[in-house]
């Protein structure tokens, strides 16, 4: 490209997406005179899902803005908490985020998850059809235009991934209301109703049960409960319900 030259500066929160040479402040970018600013930013490596305001010479512009020679552009990170207008907040996670999916469900957040790799086009189509925010660490997937909405998951550690998503979208937390296996809603169940899923010890030791309305799986305060309780307590403490 040897069209109009502009200067672009990225918010520090976006530095992981751009080469080292573009992290120290504003750097020159040669544009082609027809591409939009959104396209220019994306071609520099930053998914638009992670971009907040685009500010040109102190004035906010839409991603469709076509940069002119000499403009100075500040690319801000998306604001937190991020509003996702138009539908109840729900998520779709790609095949690599299984632990995060189960933790979000544990907290009662509506979370669809594909445990097999159905491919980017199918994921993007499902995000659009069900109006779900696509969560992924795959920048190529987040670039797909069909997505209802998307967000990059910044960490590879499930603890940090959960904190990242709760901090960014501030979903309403309703722990112990969803099936961690299938995302279905739970209902209270009697011991008799779930008896066929219980081993002898469980049968004798517990009296409070829940069952998934969708897949029928039984839940009780069993072996892994302390670990799950700790995840729930931490989330409720760090992200108390908003006013
Ligand atoms: Zn279920």
């Amino acid at each position: 490209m040897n069209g109009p030259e502009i200067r672009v500066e990225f918010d520090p929160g976006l530095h992981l997406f751009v080469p080292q040479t573009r992290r120290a402040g504003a750097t020159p970018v040669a544009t082609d005179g027809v591409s939009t600013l959104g396209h220019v930013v994306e071609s520099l490596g930053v998914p638009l899902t992670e971009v907040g305001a685009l500010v040109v010479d102190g004035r906010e512009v839409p991603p469709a803005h076509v940069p002119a020679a000499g403009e100075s552009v500040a690319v801000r990170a998306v604001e937190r908490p991020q509003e996702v207008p138009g539908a109840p907040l729900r998520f779709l996670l790609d095949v690599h985020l299984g632990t995060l999916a189960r933790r979000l469900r544990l907290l009662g957040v509506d979370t669809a998850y594909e445990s097999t790799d159905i491919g980017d086009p199918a994921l993007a189509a499902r995000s659009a059809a069900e109006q779900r925010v696509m969560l992924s660490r795959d920048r190529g997937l987040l670039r797909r235009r069909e997505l209802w909405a998307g967000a990059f998951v910044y960490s590879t550690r499930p603890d940090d991934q959960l904190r990242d998503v709760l901090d960014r979208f501030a979903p309403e937390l309703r722990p112990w209301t969803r099936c961690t296996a299938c995302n279905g809603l739970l209902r209270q169940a009697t011991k008799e109703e779930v008896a066929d899923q219980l081993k002898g010890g469980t049968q004798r030791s517990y009296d409070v049960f829940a069952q998934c309305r969708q897949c029928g799986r039984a839940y009780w305060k069993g072996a892994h409960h302390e670990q799950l309780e700790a995840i729930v307590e931490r989330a409720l403490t760090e992200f108390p319900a908003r006013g």
Side-chain angles (χ1 to χ4, degrees):
M1 291 193 278
N2 51 5
E5 188 173 282
I6 60 175
R7 295 180 69 77
V8 179
E9 179 170 12
F10 290 97
D11 183 285
L14 300 172
H15 281 178
L16 78 156
F17 298 113
V18 297
Q20 196 76 42
T21 50
R22 294 203 182 273
R23 293 177 189 173
T27 53
V29 175
T31 69
D32 60 9
V34 292
S35 291
T36 65
L37 184 54
H39 179 83
V40 171
V41 167
E42 212 169 49
S43 68
L44 292 170
V46 183
L48 291 183
T49 57
E50 306 312 297
V51 172
L54 294 167
V55 180
V56 172
D57 297 325
R59 180 174 57 94
E60 192 172 338
V61 301
H65 171 79
V66 177
E71 287 184 348
S72 281
V73 181
V75 182
R76 305 229 171 105
V78 73
E79 276 191 44
R80 293 179 178 228
Q82 179 181 354
E83 296 286 336
V84 183
L89 185 59
R90 50 195 170 213
F91 297 99
L92 171 62
L93 275 57
D94 78 19
V95 66
H96 304 292
L97 298 175
T99 303
L100 177 61
R102 285 189 296 278
R103 291 186 181 190
L104 285 168
R105 289 169 177 173
L106 175 69
L107 296 171
V109 179
D110 187 341
T111 305
Y113 164 69
E114 297 286 352
S115 62
T116 54
D117 194 351
I118 63 171
D120 289 2
L123 279 171
R126 185 169 180 196
S127 161
E130 299 179 11
Q131 301 189 320
R132 291 180 179 275
V133 180
M134 182 79 235
L135 299 184
S136 180
R137 289 181 45 75
D138 180 342
R139 297 187 218 181
L141 174 56
L142 294 178
R143 203 174 282 187
R144 299 195 75 94
R145 294 282 175 255
E146 316 93 282
L147 290 178
W148 160 251
F152 184 77
V153 174
Y154 284 80
S155 177
T156 54
R157 299 181 57 244
D159 283 354
D160 294 335
Q161 291 175 340
L162 183 63
R163 196 172 283 125
D164 179 20
V165 174
L166 298 184
D167 176 64
R168 178 163 175 173
F169 292 100
E172 188 184 350
L173 304 184
R174 296 179 174 196
W176 316 109
T177 60
R178 273 184 196 276
C179 178
T180 55
C182 84
N183 195 41
L185 288 168
L186 302 185
R187 61 170 188 86
Q188 280 204 336
T190 64
K191 192 180 286 193
E192 289 68 36
E193 286 174 307
V194 296
D196 57 331
Q197 294 183 55
L198 306 178
K199 297 202 177 78
T202 308
Q203 182 84 260
R204 284 190 296 278
S205 311
Y206 301 97
D207 289 306
V208 181
F209 297 91
Q211 188 172 28
C212 175
R213 293 173 186 273
Q214 212 158 298
C215 74
R217 182 168 162 159
Y219 286 85
W220 63 91
K221 298 194 173 191
H224 303 292
H225 196 76
E226 272 178 34
Q227 190 199 343
L228 300 180
E229 191 88 62
I231 292 170
V232 168
E233 285 307 313
R234 200 162 58 227
L236 292 176
T237 304
E238 289 183 31
F239 302 96
R242 288 183 299 169

